Amino acid sequence: MDNKIDVVITWVDGSDPEWLKEKAKYVPDFNQVGSFEDKRFEDNMMLKYLFRGIEKNMPWVNHIYFVTCGHYPKWLNLNNDKITLVKHSDFMPEEYLPTFNSNSIILNLHKIPNLSEKFVYFNDDFFVLKEMKEVDFFKKDKPCLMSIEDITVAPNNDVFWKMMLNNLTIINKNFNKKQSKKHNFNKWYNLKYGIRNIYKNFCLRKFSKFAGFYDSHLPAPFLKTTFSEVWDKNYDTLHKTCLSKYRTSNDVTEYTMKYWCYASGNFYPINTDRMGIYTTESSKKTAKIIESNKYKLICINDDGNSSCKEEIIKALNKIYPEKSGFEL
């Protein structure tokens, strides 16, 4: 297998007038405040720190594919040989375009021209805080993941958790849980996970089907062949998601690809909790976490309250004060 590892970053400028005009044609009730999770399209103004972190702490990355509808930050240096701006139209079937559905975009990432077999997917709210090595993401040509069972419950009108249930439907349709765990025993009951997580897997072993998985919201290592396999065996379901112009409770997400790895055993076991942490822009602890030098990765989610954003940006700038080669 090719040893190259690429990075894919998806981004949207939610303030772009042309993008807003196009979105209004397809998304009903667009003018309603907060409709269809409008905050998902906001630029958190911290993207440059993602690039600085990758350049400094992941120098082994072969190439970065920056995926947008066509627009990009004015400061981004597209003359850097290690980055390519990829438009949705460059890799997505025409029938799916235009799209304002992040699921549709991510489910088609494996079609990006020249993308390596092994790639790491970054949201624009992921940041690299310390040195990372290739083996943090891939080992023995397999993505490094942590397979911990959980129970997924979807509250009324909660689109995200309903999508998670849809992901599980695909997995349970294609795999027998008992056989999956039997054939990959050491990957389900691995000491790297810690006793608490092993015990959780043990307690949920009697469920005849997978009821859910624990998800660490961090950069995800993927194989293009995993995407292709899931598409080949579940085309109708994924196709229906991609036809939707915006996220709905009927969608499936890229988490299906991770779950597929768990159920098939096509991954290398690690403890992702020791690698990174999830926090929010409203948490007073976020800036301290960044400066603590404890974690390699952090997800700083936009929870609709940016009260601590100024302190967070100061903390990021403290560890990455210099421009990267990806900035003009």
Side-chain angles (χ1 to χ4, degrees):
M1 182 180 289
D2 192 341
N3 288 324
K4 294 186 297 185
I5 301 175
D6 290 336
V7 161
V8 177
I9 302 170
T10 54
W11 182 80
V12 64
D13 179 2
S15 64
D16 181 349
E18 291 301 316
W19 181 86
L20 289 168
K21 183 178 179 180
E22 190 73 5
K23 181 187 176 190
K25 295 177 183 178
Y26 296 94
V27 183
D29 301 323
F30 173 64
N31 293 322
Q32 291 184 14
V33 176
S35 64
F36 296 100
E37 300 177 286
D38 284 345
K39 68 180 183 179
R40 291 183 54 79
F41 304 112
E42 294 177 358
D43 177 10
N44 62 17
M45 306 302 292
M46 296 187 285
L47 182 67
K48 62 184 179 181
Y49 297 107
L50 167 54
F51 281 98
R52 292 181 188 184
I54 291 175
E55 181 177 80
K56 181 178 179 178
N57 290 315
M58 297 171 61
W60 43 264
V61 167
N62 174 62
H63 201 78
I64 297 176
Y65 292 92
F66 189 61
V67 179
T68 80
C69 66
H71 53 213
Y72 57 92
K74 293 181 179 179
W75 52 261
L76 189 63
N77 179 17
L78 294 178
N79 290 320
N80 189 313
D81 292 338
K82 288 194 68 171
I83 187 171
T84 296
L85 175 68
V86 182
K87 301 177 183 178
H88 299 160
S89 57
D90 291 336
F91 68 99
M92 296 181 68
E94 186 175 354
E95 61 185 320
Y96 299 156
L97 299 174
T99 186
F100 310 92
N101 183 350
S102 59
N103 296 320
S104 177
I105 297 165
I106 302 170
L107 289 175
N108 285 280
L109 292 180
H110 62 300
K111 300 173 184 175
I112 294 175
N114 302 315
L115 180 67
S116 63
E117 165 65 7
K118 294 184 286 191
F119 69 96
V120 183
Y121 171 63
F122 277 75
N123 287 341
D124 64 0
D125 58 0
F126 293 156
F127 302 92
V128 187
L129 302 179
K130 296 174 64 176
E131 179 185 6
M132 301 206 67
K133 299 179 180 179
E134 295 98 318
V135 292
D136 289 324
F137 293 108
F138 293 94
K139 194 165 184 178
K140 297 182 179 180
D141 288 331
K142 297 182 183 297
C144 295
L145 300 169
M146 182 168 73
S147 56
I148 305 300
E149 284 197 84
D150 209 336
I151 298 178
T152 298
V153 178
N156 290 336
N157 299 319
D158 192 309
V159 173
F160 177 80
W161 288 110
K162 287 183 177 179
M163 293 190 298
M164 293 301 104
L165 289 177
N166 297 337
N167 296 337
L168 289 172
T169 298
I170 285 183
I171 300 306
N172 286 313
K173 175 184 175 183
N174 286 273
F175 295 94
N176 179 291
K177 175 183 171 179
K178 183 177 180 180
Q179 292 300 315
S180 292
K181 301 194 79 169
K182 178 181 178 181
H183 293 153
N184 299 284
F185 184 86
N186 187 53
K187 293 184 178 182
W188 288 98
Y189 302 98
N190 194 289
L191 291 177
K192 296 176 184 177
Y193 301 158
I195 298 301
R196 181 178 179 180
N197 285 326
I198 294 175
Y199 182 67
K200 183 181 288 187
N201 278 348
F202 179 79
C203 290
L204 294 175
R205 75 194 188 283
K206 292 186 177 180
F207 283 47
S208 61
K209 296 183 180 296
F210 292 111
F213 298 102
Y214 167 74
D215 292 307
S216 53
H217 197 56
L218 296 170
F222 288 119
L223 299 175
K224 287 200 303 184
T225 49
T226 301
F227 276 66
S228 296
E229 184 178 0
V230 175
W231 268 96
D232 287 345
K233 296 184 177 180
N234 305 275
Y235 176 83
D236 289 344
T237 302
L238 272 63
H239 177 62
K240 183 177 180 181
T241 291
C242 294
L243 287 174
S244 179
K245 297 298 182 184
Y246 49 88
R247 300 203 323 170
T248 75
S249 59
N250 295 318
D251 286 3
V252 293
T253 79
E254 81 278 4
Y255 283 91
T256 299
M257 308 304 171
K258 284 204 296 185
Y259 298 170
W260 195 273
C261 291
Y262 300 159
S264 66
N266 189 28
F267 70 98
Y268 187 89
I270 65 167
N271 189 327
T272 55
D273 284 345
R274 295 174 183 170
M275 187 181 301
I277 188 170
Y278 171 93
T279 184
T280 66
E281 288 187 8
S282 64
S283 173
K284 295 180 179 179
K285 296 180 180 179
T286 302
K288 293 180 180 179
I289 292 173
I290 293 170
E291 296 177 355
S292 71
N293 199 39
K294 182 178 180 180
Y295 295 101
K296 294 182 177 181
L297 295 165
I298 189 171
C299 172
I300 308 176
N301 185 256
D302 179 2
D303 58 352
N305 180 352
S306 301
S307 58
C308 299
K309 192 170 186 176
E310 185 175 343
E311 289 77 12
I312 293 171
I313 291 177
K314 286 181 180 179
L316 287 170
N317 196 63
K318 186 175 181 179
I319 61 173
Y320 294 125
E322 310 246 343
K323 283 185 177 182
S324 72
F326 300 105
E327 298 172 63
L328 294 172

